[in-house]
Amino acid sequence: MSVYQLQKFLYDLNRDSGVQTRYRSEPEGLLGEYELTEEERTALAAGDVGLIYVLGANGQLLMHFAAFLGLSWPAYLQAMRDGVTRHGPVRAGVYAMTTGVGEKVAGV
Amino acid sequence: MSLVFAGICSHAPGITGRANLADEALRAPFYDAYHRMREQLWATRPDALVIIAAEHFANFFMNNMPSFAIGMADQYSGPIEDPGWLSIARRSIPGNSTLSRELICEIMQTADIAFAEEWKFDHGIMVPLHFLTPNYDLPVVPVNINCQGPPLVPLHRAWVFGEAVRRAADRIPQRIAVIGTGGISHWPATPDSGKINEAWDRKFLERWTRNDREALLSYSDLDTYRDAGQGGFEIRTFISVAAAARGRGQLHHYAPIPIFAVGCTIATMEVAA
């Protein structure tokens, strides 16, 4: 229900180095400031790009979170595919996967 | 008449950020087309560059989302992304708050817009600037059309906005260039990244070069999402430029480059009376 809050966290983190520092030093306190479901909170705390993708986060927000976490471009794309394999189709938003899990359109 | 240049170009972050992963045979002609667009732009001796872009939550979010926003500052900064990820160094970019304000006040006569005295540029603006104003010596007026967080403004309002930009440019003595940046069909930031509907793109560009208002405004968001992905919502920026220029367009380059996640496009449009 709170994909908005999940996305708001990503928006704040992407544009504020202070939030980035807090994510690394005290993630629980930081995430506690957002009205997240348990699943969302767990996914964000773990940096689970695949689950965050399936939950319906806008891809433009998630892409930079993945880069912040240090994922290479191929690893980021694969993390989303793995998320769909584990958790099923994307549940909300406009960034659903339309290709097959094994289909690498750009070769990565 | 003080609109002196109109064009459209791709802005995908991979164009710079993943340049080393692209096939040189595909990349080089696209970069060359971008460089020729730079020469064409500068040959018109513009005083300022209005960039109608579609940003990706650098400044605007669903807590308070404007359909249209225009920058009104003397200085901007960017890229907001990690400079290493985008392969564009972070820097300040000149604006012109007085000029922005004049344009904004005129545009407000017929279009409902927001203005912003702070603006952090993301790849939607930084990638085009990297090619078109590599010395960052042309004042920029950034414009955003919300193409990310639905509900999105209808296409016919993007047309009206473009008309307002044109009228405003014509009212001031400065020489104004306008570009629209975005993608046509693409599925960025998904596992589908690299998927491109070339037939859809070419049909859209054919309509754009003919400046066929009715055909350009005939797309529904549902159709666009199905056929051109969520990235296709960015056609709004190209449509605004067509409304501003009023002329015939010329397609200089189009080629899908999957690792850049978009059909890489460079086109200009005659500024007609």
Side-chain angles (χ1 to χ4, degrees), chain A residues 13-67:
Chain A
L13 180 121
N14 286 346
R15 66 197 314 277
D16 187 339
S17 59
V19 176
Q20 293 169 10
T21 302
R22 287 188 62 203
Y23 177 78
R24 297 210 190 280
S25 62
E26 47 137 1
E28 286 190 14
L30 171 65
L31 292 170
E33 296 169 10
Y34 296 82
E35 295 173 33
L36 301 166
T37 66
E38 184 57 26
E39 193 176 33
E40 290 169 338
R41 194 193 62 74
T42 305
L44 288 172
D48 187 339
V49 168
L51 180 53
I52 297 167
Y53 174 64
V54 168
L55 290 172
N58 184 292
Q60 298 288 346
L61 292 164
L62 180 56
M63 179 168 66
H64 297 298
F65 185 53

Side-chain angles (χ1 to χ4, degrees), chain A residues 4 7-8 11 15 53 58-61 63-64 67 73 76-77 80-81 93-99 105-106 108, chain B residues 18 56-63 80-81 85 120 123 148 187-195 225 230 258-259:
Chain A
Y4 172 75
Q7 296 188 116
K8 186 174 177 183
Y11 170 71
R15 66 197 314 277
Y53 174 64
N58 184 292
Q60 298 288 346
L61 292 164
M63 179 168 66
H64 297 298
W73 186 252
Y76 152 66
L77 297 183
M80 290 190 285
R81 294 184 191 111
V94 291
Y95 277 74
M97 186 168 85
T98 64
T99 52
V105 189
V108 292
Chain B
R18 295 191 294 281
H56 319 77
F57 308 114
N59 304 276
F60 308 109
F61 186 65
M62 280 75 80
N63 61 341
I80 191 171
E81 296 95 338
W85 181 85
K120 294 178 178 177
H123 62 267
Q148 280 296 333
W187 286 255
T190 72
D192 310 343
S193 177
K195 181 176 169 183
Y225 185 59
Q230 81 292 124
I259 195 65

